[in-house]
Amino acid sequence: MTAAWEPTAAGVLRLPSGRLVRGRGLRRPLPAGPLPDFALYLLSREPPPVPWEARWLRWPDFRLPADRTAADEALREAWKRTATQRVEIACNGGRGRTGTALACLAVLDGVPATEAVAYVRRHYTPHAAETPWQRRYVTRFR
């Protein structure tokens, strides 16, 4: 079992169960501290390779995942891994797509879907899930 993120580290969201997940914007430098064990990258194009295990989900900026089934599988995998690994979820800016994905993880962790975006906005960034369709995606996520 790998040690978790520091709960006070920048960009680390504590889910209600106590699981930790780091959200991040890839345009910014890699934060100091431990590297992720697993990352889910939400981008229009495949990201460059990284020295940790990573999964890419095609997700255009300000939009929704290109493949909803693949998104569901990837988000569930990320949530399961937070039990024992350092998991990072990232897009270019670390707000819209990342915030939407973090809200979906909050749903998986027991937050009601209608409250998940507000939860992530309170505990991660007030700019999470930037568009109305991203917010609607979370309310329909199960």
Side-chain angles (χ1 to χ4, degrees), residues 63-83:
R63 306 292 298 270
L64 296 175
D67 181 335
R68 305 252 176 124
T69 301
D72 184 71
E73 292 170 1
L75 292 166
R76 288 177 191 284
E77 177 185 3
W79 179 77
K80 286 177 186 171
R81 286 174 177 257
T82 62

Side-chain angles (χ1 to χ4, degrees), residues 3-22:
W5 298 110
E6 287 295 321
T8 56
V12 174
L13 172 68
R14 180 184 293 277
L15 296 168
S17 66
R19 293 176 183 213
L20 302 172
V21 59
R22 180 170 76 186

Side-chain angles (χ1 to χ4, degrees), residues 62-120:
F62 297 105
R63 306 292 298 270
L64 296 175
D67 181 335
R68 305 252 176 124
T69 301
D72 184 71
E73 292 170 1
L75 292 166
R76 288 177 191 284
E77 177 185 3
W79 179 77
K80 286 177 186 171
R81 286 174 177 257
T82 62
T84 59
Q85 296 179 322
R86 287 186 301 269
V87 174
E88 170 178 271
I89 295 183
C91 64
N92 284 328
R95 294 176 167 196
R97 292 170 284 185
T98 296
T100 302
L102 291 173
C104 290
L105 265 61
V107 171
L108 293 171
D109 206 62
V111 176
T114 56
E115 299 172 23
V117 170
Y119 181 88
V120 173

Side-chain angles (χ1 to χ4, degrees), residues 30-84:
L30 185 66
L35 298 174
D37 298 307
F38 174 78
L40 177 59
Y41 295 123
L42 316 170
L43 301 164
S44 297
R45 296 187 190 136
E46 189 169 4
V50 291
W52 49 85
E53 189 177 356
R55 183 169 177 178
W56 167 54
L57 183 62
R58 185 182 305 276
W59 191 329
D61 202 8
F62 297 105
R63 306 292 298 270
L64 296 175
D67 181 335
R68 305 252 176 124
T69 301
D72 184 71
E73 292 170 1
L75 292 166
R76 288 177 191 284
E77 177 185 3
W79 179 77
K80 286 177 186 171
R81 286 174 177 257
T82 62
T84 59

